[in-house]
Amino acid sequence: MDAVRVALLRDVLAGTEWLGATRRFAGALRGSVVPHGGGLLLVGTAGHEPWHLAAHLVDEAAWSGTPELAPTLVRHDARPSDPAHLAVGLGRLAAARRGETLLVVTPDAPGAPLLERVHDARQAGATVLALGTGERELTAMAHETLTVPDGAELDLDTVQHLVSAAAGENAVPPRRRHRFRDRLSRLADRLTAPPPPPHW
């Protein structure tokens, strides 16, 4: 879904709770990763790996100048022979520490092994964000949740588009650093400018 379609979707959703909810969740995501310089881990369930959300966050990270939004995709069946960006397995969650953020996307039941790893990551100090159907145990562990219940007017895939777009949009533009020569030139202009006319 491109930026034009996201904008049209937002027009359609104006006045609903979804715009505020997705922006709040995106703000929590951004607020968790930016101060720590990144450390975003993204994991789904055994039956659903959030490739699409990972790709959109990578795009938003580049477009918004917020590299901290680019996630590490953690996979259930990663193999050492996979390309490096696809070879990160669930063992990475055991190494999660304070300052890292774990975004868990669950369109179906997360299963006990994943819940145990999420619990361990939280105990180690990682921030846990949950985006999914509102599974009770995961919701209880999460610092921030966004629930897309069955039968909602939006599906989870659409909500992921809104979250990733909002995460990039809400980024503060980087402050422009002026070089020394630029500052020196402005100072010289002020010193050599003619004095203002006298007021009588």
Side-chain angles (χ1 to χ4, degrees):
M1 186 178 294
D2 58 27
V4 172
R5 288 182 179 151
V6 169
L8 290 172
L9 178 59
R10 285 177 173 161
D11 285 344
V12 171
L13 294 173
T16 71
E17 65 184 24
W18 287 110
L19 291 185
T22 53
R23 284 188 168 127
R24 276 191 300 276
F25 190 80
L29 171 61
R30 191 181 60 259
S32 181
V33 299
V34 170
H36 296 288
L40 176 58
L41 304 173
L42 175 61
V43 67
T45 61
H48 173 83
E49 291 183 337
W51 304 81
H52 207 171
L53 179 57
H56 279 290
L57 286 171
V58 167
D59 288 343
E60 291 296 336
W63 293 334
S64 67
T66 313
E68 299 88 353
L69 289 173
T72 297
L73 180 63
V74 178
R75 302 179 60 219
H76 287 256
D77 58 355
R79 294 168 300 213
S81 60
D82 290 333
H85 68 289
L86 300 177
V88 180
L90 288 178
R92 176 63 180 86
L93 300 185
R97 294 291 176 260
R98 184 172 306 282
E100 293 186 304
T101 300
L102 176 57
L103 173 54
V104 187
V105 180
T106 55
D108 49 27
L114 177 59
L115 288 172
E116 287 171 14
R117 291 177 187 265
V118 172
H119 177 266
D120 291 345
R122 170 152 181 155
Q123 290 295 102
T127 300
V128 177
L129 305 179
L131 174 57
T133 55
E135 194 278 334
R136 189 170 55 203
E137 285 183 76
L138 180 58
T139 299
M141 281 187 268
H143 295 89
E144 187 76 30
T145 63
L146 179 56
T147 300
V148 185
D150 290 333
E153 54 273 11
L154 295 183
D155 61 15
L156 184 59
D157 188 52
T158 303
V159 171
Q160 290 177 69
H161 283 291
L162 292 170
V163 167
S164 61
E169 280 180 350
N170 293 330
V172 177
R175 189 179 301 166
R176 183 170 174 253
R177 290 189 180 147
H178 298 291
R179 294 185 310 164
F180 174 74
R181 290 170 74 182
D182 294 335
R183 294 195 307 262
L184 188 60
S185 175
R186 284 198 307 276
L187 178 61
D189 287 344
R190 273 186 279 179
L191 292 175
T192 59
H199 294 287
W200 300 101

